[in-house]
Amino acid sequence: MGRWAALWHRIWFYPILVTVGPWVKFNTIRLQEPKGPREGVAGEGPDLRLLILGDSSAAGVGVATQSTALSGRLVAGLSNGARVDWQLVARCGDTTPKALNRVKAAQPRRADVAVTALGVNDMLRGTRLHVWLDQQRALLDLLTGPLGMGHVYVSGMPQVCRFPRLPNPLRWALGHQAARFDRGLRDMLETYPNTTFIAADMELDSSVMAQDGFHPGPAVFQRWADILVDQLKADRGI
């Protein structure tokens, strides 16, 4: 059944992506990464070393400053119970392989916790699900192995079917593909050590998204950070 499902996805997904995707990309506002520090120390309490890794969503595209992006909201939420030594390694456009190479080059400090946000760019570039999951495994092996990250919180795929910028049938096609990626990632992590899946449980209508209709706005970043903060605090007893 899985092979037939994958076959049908290739039949309708890739033609839509190739024909409609470039037009949408060309006609979408290009937003810059927000200003602000990408590392620092905040708060008082037990030490918590944090790495944030990913694509434009992790980098904060959609807001003006890092203080209102994922990094700023996450550090603010954690620093009322811990001394957070944090670092952000993320770039707009990064796929999972690019993020893997970037974190290798950055050689970030050993951290207690890493948060990742990747997958949308891989999907937009037509990466097949089984290939992407292998790439995710390679990234997780690096983070929890040589780089010594204690635990990795892996963000699930957003509900792309709700992105205001995307017209149908592209919205429908990408929405179904994102749901497949999300299920595959969730299933993989159930048997993967030292990881926690974080569902992207956020509303994504035009009132809370950035002006390009594709990236998160301040309210989405706040909700995302709240989910992560609640999970981290519960797990670590902060």
Side-chain angles (χ1 to χ4, degrees):
M1 185 66 178
R3 290 181 61 188
W4 284 110
L7 176 61
W8 279 108
H9 275 87
R10 287 197 294 273
I11 289 172
W12 55 253
F13 173 69
Y14 292 107
I16 293 173
L17 181 64
V18 171
T19 56
V20 184
W23 180 88
V24 174
K25 182 177 181 180
F26 181 77
N27 289 279
T28 298
I29 299 170
R30 306 293 176 88
L31 300 180
Q32 301 299 311
E33 294 183 12
K35 298 178 180 179
R38 288 178 171 247
E39 61 182 315
V41 178
E44 296 182 357
D47 287 337
L48 177 63
R49 297 167 299 177
L50 168 68
L51 172 69
I52 305 165
L53 171 69
D55 55 22
S56 58
S57 61
V61 174
V63 293
T65 65
Q66 288 293 342
S67 63
T68 54
L70 178 64
S71 63
R73 296 301 191 187
L74 188 52
V75 171
L78 292 170
S79 61
N80 60 8
R83 179 181 179 273
V84 184
D85 184 347
W86 64 278
Q87 186 174 6
L88 172 65
V89 179
R91 282 294 184 274
C92 184
D94 270 8
T95 58
T96 300
K98 285 183 178 179
L100 175 64
N101 291 332
R102 191 175 303 282
V103 76
K104 283 180 180 178
Q107 288 295 303
R109 299 183 293 273
R110 189 176 294 263
D112 304 299
V113 169
V115 172
T116 68
L118 290 159
V120 172
N121 291 325
D122 303 84
M123 181 183 68
L124 292 175
R125 283 161 176 75
T127 304
R128 295 184 179 182
L129 175 58
H130 72 92
V131 173
W132 181 64
L133 293 177
D134 285 344
Q135 294 167 347
Q136 284 281 317
R137 290 186 185 97
L139 176 61
L140 292 171
D141 287 342
L142 175 69
L143 293 175
T144 59
L147 294 185
M149 307 297 161
H151 198 91
V152 183
Y153 292 83
V154 182
S155 301
M157 294 286 286
Q159 296 184 53
V160 178
C161 61
R162 297 186 177 183
F163 282 13
R165 179 66 190 94
L166 299 178
N168 280 318
L170 184 63
R171 180 188 296 192
W172 173 81
L174 288 176
H176 278 273
Q177 189 76 333
R180 289 185 68 235
F181 272 49
D182 194 67
R183 289 192 300 269
L185 183 61
R186 186 193 297 263
D187 291 345
M188 184 196 84
L189 294 177
E190 285 183 357
T191 58
Y192 216 92
N194 303 319
T195 66
T196 297
F197 178 82
I198 300 296
D201 183 21
M202 291 89 75
E203 292 294 330
L204 298 176
D205 59 40
S206 57
S207 68
V208 295
M209 295 286 281
Q211 67 179 115
D212 67 351
F214 192 84
H215 286 95
V220 180
F221 281 122
Q222 183 66 68
R223 172 60 182 161
W224 186 6
D226 288 345
I227 294 170
L228 282 161
V229 168
D230 288 346
Q231 185 68 58
L232 266 70
K233 284 188 172 182
D235 290 348
R236 304 188 67 85
I238 298 175

